[in-house]
Amino acid sequence: MKVNLRAGSRVALVLLAFCSSLAARDLNQDEALALRQQGVILPLEQLLHQAMERYPGSRLLEAELEKKHGRYAYEVELVTTEGVVREIKLDASTGVLIKDEED
């Protein structure tokens, strides 16, 4: 019975490690700067302006760069003039809108 418990524990650890590698990972400012300098991603300022234009008068709450499934995306949270929090995700390499939803 101990062998089965150990094997089960190992399988669970492998699955946990695999699943966590699929999750989105937030990048720090040094990583973002390096990607920008290499031309891999567009400047945050450019895409932030694009996101804010969708809701004139809105205020920025948070912006972050993340990597998921090998793709870079900027996730921008803002609050509209009506007080609604929106989450906008843009492809960091192309600027294409991925999602825009109420948060």
Side-chain angles (χ1 to χ4, degrees):
M1 186 67 172
K2 286 184 180 182
V3 173
N4 288 337
L5 288 176
R6 286 183 184 170
S9 296
R10 288 184 186 136
V11 169
L13 286 173
V14 169
L15 285 174
L16 180 63
F18 176 74
C19 290
S20 65
S21 71
L22 295 178
R25 180 177 79 84
D26 292 341
L27 283 76
N28 66 38
Q29 64 187 18
D30 293 331
E31 292 171 306
L33 178 60
L35 290 169
R36 172 63 188 109
Q37 289 173 338
Q38 295 166 14
V40 174
I41 61 171
L42 296 170
L44 172 61
E45 297 80 16
Q46 178 182 337
L47 297 185
L48 189 55
H49 181 71
Q50 180 180 331
M52 300 293 283
E53 281 184 334
R54 296 180 66 79
Y55 300 94
S58 60
R59 289 182 295 122
L60 178 66
L61 296 176
E62 181 180 23
E64 58 190 21
L65 177 64
E66 65 181 23
K67 182 179 182 182
K68 185 174 185 180
H69 304 296
R71 291 179 59 191
Y72 296 101
Y74 284 112
E75 186 173 290
V76 178
E77 282 190 17
L78 50 89
V79 61
T80 67
T81 54
E82 293 82 24
V84 177
V85 176
R86 306 286 312 176
E87 182 179 300
I88 300 170
K89 189 176 280 194
L90 300 161
D91 184 293
S93 299
T94 65
V96 171
L97 179 68
I98 297 171
K99 87 174 171 183
D100 179 354
E101 65 185 23
E102 190 173 324
D103 194 28

